[in-house]
Amino acid sequence: MTDLPTLAMTEIDLDAIVSHGGRIALFVHEDGKLGRAGRRVSSAGRGALARFVESEAFGKMAPGDAKTFGYPGGLSATSLTVVKAGRPITPELARRIGAAAADGLSDGEDLLLIAGTTRHPGELALGALLRAYSFTECKSSDAPAPRTITVMAASTDGAEALADEARARAEGVYFTRDLVNLPANILTTESFAERLEGLREIGLEVEILDEAELEKLGMGMLLAVGRGSETPSKVAVMTWNGGAKGEAPLALVGKGVVFDTGGISLKPAGGMEEMTMDMGGAGTVAGAMKTIALRKARANVVGLVGLVENMPDGRAQRPGDIVTSMKGDTVEVINTDAEGRLVLGDVMWYAQERFAPAAMIDLATLTGAVIVALGHENAGVFSNDDDFAGAFLKAAGSEGEGAWRLPLGDRYAKLLKSAKADVKNVGTRWAGSVTAAEFLKRFVKDGTPWMHLDIAGVASPAEPFPTGPKGASGWGVLSLDRLVRDRYEAAE
């Protein structure tokens, strides 16, 4: 898996700035005033930095925009990046500044990020770590050279704790990005399960349920999806017990379709290669669980992911088949390409039967309809509990991860009525993301606060987010971790 750059946090050392041999990055407020470190950089470069911040070019930059100069005079640095900052520097802006500072960092190039007196050096560090990610696992070239990101701040009080927290959060995002970026011939259901088993090293309890166990549990919907694949279906259960003993956990449930051809309802060839990311929900759950464990969260959280592959084959389920869920509901399969909800329904029911969670969140790259509605800027949020949804939306907002609440209702649920079974797996062409959420709602027990996150538009957006390169975004890891901190974690 992709390794993080080494992260260090130190006090400002003016001589070390001048002698640094990699990239130097600093931010300058829109008023153009240079801090102590900025004045030293400008002095070493014979006033070049001061002239730049007084220029029209700097004036036209927006907060978070960056300008990089190669081999700046008077410094040993290979490049100097100047990021414009507004006032005040919020945590979200600090993260954007850090990301801009690390944008385009060369292989093996160390970054010296001057934080000055900002109150958010940890967010600067996190932004730089997230932007430094590069997926190279499938390339034949040598492994990238290790890099170091050093954050220089006016004070190093609590620096070690801030660095540890930034690493834990970034590790989870990296893990999710790697999983989502991997092709399906490498990330099979079996290898996915093996990678999750590796999380035992950081203290997670990990259990893998095989097809025989799923049969005994009655997961007829999930097993029907994977029937046409040569790779066996599995359910992985990751448990973190950091809270009070016996306290009901928060349950995170992820759709892990490692490749989705659409099954017998075959997708068009154009763009089908992107369906390697149809396990994005499971990837996000795995990344969130990794972060929660690494920072030793004082909460009980369980992550469950259904791992399947949806392939056309002589044994594959057909449109018109009727399958029975673990709950006992019968489902008429109208479209085999609406498979994720079948996987999630069974795993959600199992999560409630086994763990009786305090609340439950499912995540899935579930519908193209949510992209039509919200584009690639926001995930769709559906919930049966206003307080629960509000807490998540607040968490997502604080982490700068777009999320927008969409409706539920009986009139939408009626679109799933079947003449032959208890329910159909799809409705009409209208409100496709809503009817998908209504299908999942059938598998939520009365009294369980529940939320469905449709992440089809944000898991691997068409254009990269500011804190990452093109490809998998890792959306949701930070928001889920924030929700755990704000709502479920016990006070010290």
Side-chain angles (χ1 to χ4, degrees):
M1 305 299 281
T2 303
D3 293 326
L4 262 67
T6 300
L7 176 63
M9 300 187 78
T10 65
E11 288 188 3
I12 290 177
D13 181 333
L14 299 181
D15 291 335
I17 292 173
V18 175
S19 63
H20 179 72
R23 175 184 293 189
I24 296 174
L26 55 82
F27 64 86
V28 179
H29 289 290
E30 49 198 348
D31 60 13
K33 292 182 179 178
L34 298 176
R36 187 162 61 105
R39 291 193 296 272
R40 181 61 180 271
V41 169
S42 185
S43 174
R46 298 182 180 180
L49 177 59
R51 291 194 297 275
F52 170 67
V53 299
E54 293 169 358
S55 71
E56 183 179 356
F58 181 79
K60 290 181 178 180
M61 291 167 63
D65 286 353
K67 177 71 174 178
T68 298
F69 304 90
Y71 297 97
L75 300 172
S76 300
T78 54
S79 61
L80 171 66
T81 295
V82 181
V83 186
K84 189 172 184 178
R87 292 184 187 271
I89 296 181
T90 62
E92 182 179 354
L93 178 57
R95 196 179 303 173
R96 285 173 52 202
I97 291 170
D103 187 23
L105 201 62
S106 301
D107 182 22
E109 184 179 22
D110 293 336
L111 171 64
L112 176 60
L113 176 54
I114 301 171
T117 59
T118 179
R119 294 184 296 172
H120 307 292
E123 294 298 327
L124 285 170
L126 178 60
L129 288 173
L130 294 179
R131 191 62 187 85
Y133 172 87
S134 179
F135 181 69
T136 60
E137 184 171 336
C138 296
K139 293 187 176 181
S140 60
S141 54
D142 293 337
R147 292 175 290 180
T148 297
I149 294 174
T150 302
V151 178
M152 273 192 179
S155 171
T156 56
D157 291 346
E160 186 175 345
L162 287 173
D164 287 345
E165 181 176 316
R167 288 189 203 98
R169 296 163 80 191
E171 284 274 13
V173 175
Y174 272 44
F175 191 46
T176 296
R177 287 176 177 175
D178 279 351
L179 290 169
V180 176
N181 279 327
L182 281 166
N185 63 319
I186 295 176
L187 191 73
T188 65
T189 59
E190 293 173 301
S191 65
F192 199 150
E194 289 170 1
R195 289 176 189 247
L196 296 182
E197 287 180 304
L199 296 176
R200 290 175 180 143
E201 296 177 0
I202 59 171
L204 281 169
E205 297 174 16
V206 182
E207 180 183 0
I208 308 298
L209 306 180
D210 63 19
E211 287 190 343
E213 293 169 293
L214 303 180
E215 288 274 9
K216 289 179 182 178
L217 290 166
M219 291 196 187
M221 293 194 300
L222 182 149
L223 289 168
V225 173
R227 195 177 294 141
S229 175
E230 293 293 325
T231 185
S233 299
K234 298 179 182 293
V235 170
V237 182
M238 298 161 279
T239 305
W240 175 255
N241 292 316
K245 185 176 181 179
E247 187 174 87
L250 170 67
L252 307 177
V253 180
K255 169 190 171 184
V257 180
V258 295
F259 193 78
D260 181 21
T261 65
I264 299 300
S265 304
L266 193 66
K267 292 178 180 290
M272 194 192 288
E273 72 281 358
E274 297 176 2
M275 288 300 99
T276 57
M277 51 76 74
D278 209 26
M279 39 56 64
T284 302
V285 169
M289 293 302 295
K290 184 169 187 178
T291 286
I292 288 164
L294 283 171
R295 67 176 188 80
K296 295 179 170 52
R298 300 178 303 279
N300 296 334
V301 187
V302 59
L304 304 96
V305 295
L307 306 178
V308 302
E309 185 178 37
N310 188 22
M311 298 288 282
D313 179 80
R315 299 191 314 125
Q317 71 172 341
R318 297 150 292 230
D321 283 1
I322 295 177
V323 297
T324 303
S325 69
M326 182 181 173
K327 177 188 175 186
D329 286 355
T330 57
V331 180
E332 182 182 7
V333 178
I334 302 300
N335 187 329
T336 65
D337 194 24
E339 85 298 331
R341 64 202 70 183
L342 303 179
V343 174
L344 286 171
D346 272 344
V347 182
M348 288 164 59
W349 194 256
Y350 175 71
Q352 294 166 96
E353 288 279 280
R354 178 173 172 181
F355 295 102
M360 178 171 62
I361 303 174
D362 76 79
L363 298 94
T365 51
L366 205 64
T367 67
V370 82
I371 306 177
V372 174
L374 300 176
H376 294 281
E377 303 303 315
N378 290 281
V381 179
F382 303 83
S383 182
N384 64 357
D385 187 292
D386 291 344
D387 184 55
F388 190 34
F392 177 78
L393 290 168
K394 180 181 178 182
S398 68
E399 295 298 331
E401 295 187 322
W404 195 264
R405 192 172 181 186
L406 294 169
L408 293 166
D410 290 342
R411 291 175 68 88
Y412 294 112
K414 288 178 180 177
L415 297 175
L416 297 172
K417 186 176 180 180
S418 169
K420 296 181 179 181
D422 295 330
V423 67
K424 299 186 297 186
N425 75 326
V426 294
T428 66
R429 63 177 295 192
W430 311 118
S433 59
V434 184
T435 53
E438 281 291 348
F439 181 89
L440 294 175
K441 188 181 175 186
R442 293 182 65 93
F443 301 94
V444 179
K445 293 188 175 186
D446 291 343
T448 301
W450 160 75
M451 189 166 13
H452 162 57
L453 302 178
D454 192 335
I455 64 172
V458 294
S460 187
E463 294 295 327
F465 293 150
T467 52
K470 187 171 178 57
S473 67
W475 184 100
V477 171
L478 300 178
S479 295
L480 292 174
D481 178 58
R482 175 60 58 187
L483 181 69
V484 169
R485 291 168 186 262
D486 292 347
R487 191 176 176 91
Y488 297 99
E489 199 158 355
E492 288 187 277

